[in-house]
Amino acid sequence: MTIGGSFPNRHLLRLSPLIFATIITLVYGTCQLSFEQGNKLYNYSLTNPIRNFPHGILSEDGFYKVAVNGTVLWFQLCDAMIFNHDPPTCVECGDCGGISRCGMGCSALVANIIGGYPVCTTLGYSSSTSFELIDKTDPLKGITAKLSNRGSKSNCSLAVSVVCDTNGVQGPQTLELIGTCDYATKIHHPSGCALIISSHGNGMGWFGTMLILILFFFGVYLLGGAVYRYYSLGIRGIDIIPNLEFWASLPHTLQSSLTSLVRRFRGPSHGHRSSYSPVNF
């Protein structure tokens, strides 16, 4: 499963709530995974703000770090790394920021001691990240983010398993080398937990979720417009409601439209007399 996968048209209505969520988190819209299994729709959005974690999975230090047996790994999910302290100091950092900004030009960097010197290798970029389930038989376990750096000079990757943990965060503590330049680690984070929407039969469903979102944005529109008209335009009383004339005429407009629609489908009533009569010449 990759970032921003496409969905069949028959599931478009079921995805309506996720479309609203995507609009809200447009900046990080590529760092998410959605899929349907059974009667449920699972949505993982690693950068959605959640309680105690306003930036989602993003490390507030600017990077995650793990060191095992002389090998040091730095990475950041869904964004490039930022080093305000303890930056990497290693050889061959040209494709990840260069010597002066080493580590700030990529999303995953590993340093190995070669000939007594730390030599860096870029493992991946946020733009080349793909996502898949940790366990396809149990979507609740979390997802794996795989960053890669495939090119003529390197063929490396980093797989980070984001384990669903509602109790808090546990940073990376293990590092595994698979093959020659493919690494794997894992973290525990609430962002690895899926938002589950019932397709039908159970729960609120997509329609209820969409209705709540519409009412929420409508309330924001009314409140924001009223505050603006009160403080900026100096309007008082009932006139602070934005587009008051439109809302006042809305019931009559709806009634007229409904009456016209009913007449169109039912045809003229029995007592109705046509405005013209046939004439024989």
Side-chain angles (χ1 to χ4, degrees):
M1 301 179 183
T2 58
I3 303 173
S6 60
F7 299 88
N9 290 335
R10 65 188 180 89
H11 297 314
L12 182 60
L13 290 178
R14 294 176 181 176
L15 295 177
S16 296
L18 300 183
I19 294 175
F20 284 98
T22 301
I23 294 174
I24 299 174
T25 58
L26 185 60
V27 175
Y28 301 108
T30 59
C31 204
Q32 59 184 356
L33 171 69
S34 299
F35 74 98
E36 185 181 19
Q37 187 178 84
N39 294 330
K40 296 180 179 179
L41 187 65
Y42 295 84
N43 180 54
Y44 304 84
S45 186
L46 296 183
T47 52
N48 264 2
I50 54 179
R51 184 179 181 182
N52 299 326
F53 303 98
H55 305 292
I57 196 71
L58 294 175
S59 171
E60 294 186 355
D61 292 329
F63 61 92
Y64 292 94
K65 180 180 179 180
V66 57
V68 177
N69 297 329
T71 298
V72 183
L73 169 70
W74 301 266
F75 68 91
Q76 177 74 292
L77 297 177
C78 306
D79 203 353
M81 295 184 288
I82 299 176
F83 290 91
N84 295 318
H85 61 87
D86 193 22
T89 55
C90 50
V91 184
E92 296 185 9
C93 196
D95 54 352
C96 190
I99 297 177
S100 62
R101 301 179 65 254
C102 185
M104 299 180 68
C106 63
S107 297
L109 185 72
V110 65
N112 291 289
I113 303 299
I114 301 177
Y117 297 94
V119 179
C120 283
T121 303
T122 299
L123 300 182
Y125 303 88
S126 61
S127 60
S128 62
T129 307
S130 61
F131 295 97
E132 63 182 11
L133 296 177
I134 294 177
D135 185 351
K136 294 183 179 180
T137 63
D138 186 4
L140 299 180
K141 285 187 176 181
I143 61 175
T144 297
K146 187 172 184 179
L147 300 84
S148 60
N149 180 22
R150 309 296 185 187
S152 57
K153 295 183 179 180
S154 60
N155 189 20
C156 302
S157 68
L158 171 65
V160 181
S161 297
V162 184
V163 181
C164 173
D165 191 341
T166 58
N167 296 321
V169 176
Q170 179 181 310
Q173 298 181 349
T174 61
L175 180 61
E176 183 180 0
L177 176 62
I178 305 171
T180 58
C181 195
D182 297 307
Y183 293 82
T185 187
K186 69 177 180 179
I187 61 176
H188 292 249
H189 201 285
S191 292
C193 303
L195 170 65
I196 304 175
I197 300 175
S198 176
S199 297
H200 57 79
N202 297 315
M204 182 170 53
W206 69 266
F207 180 78
T209 304
M210 183 174 63
L211 183 60
I212 290 176
L213 288 172
I214 291 175
L215 292 176
F216 169 76
F217 287 117
F218 180 70
V220 171
Y221 156 75
L222 287 180
L223 181 61
V227 170
Y228 170 77
R229 291 168 66 85
Y230 184 89
Y231 288 102
S232 298
L233 303 181
I235 299 176
R236 299 294 185 267
I238 194 173
D239 291 329
I240 66 171
I241 299 176
N243 297 314
L244 178 61
E245 297 80 4
F246 169 77
W247 299 116
S249 63
L250 185 60
H252 181 266
T253 302
L254 292 177
Q255 181 181 9
S256 299
S257 300
L258 182 60
T259 303
S260 176
L261 187 64
V262 170
R263 286 178 178 175
R264 178 176 299 179
F265 282 97
R266 293 181 58 183
S269 60
H270 295 291
H272 176 77
R273 178 176 297 178
S274 177
S275 58
Y276 66 92
S277 301
V279 177
N280 297 322
F281 292 96

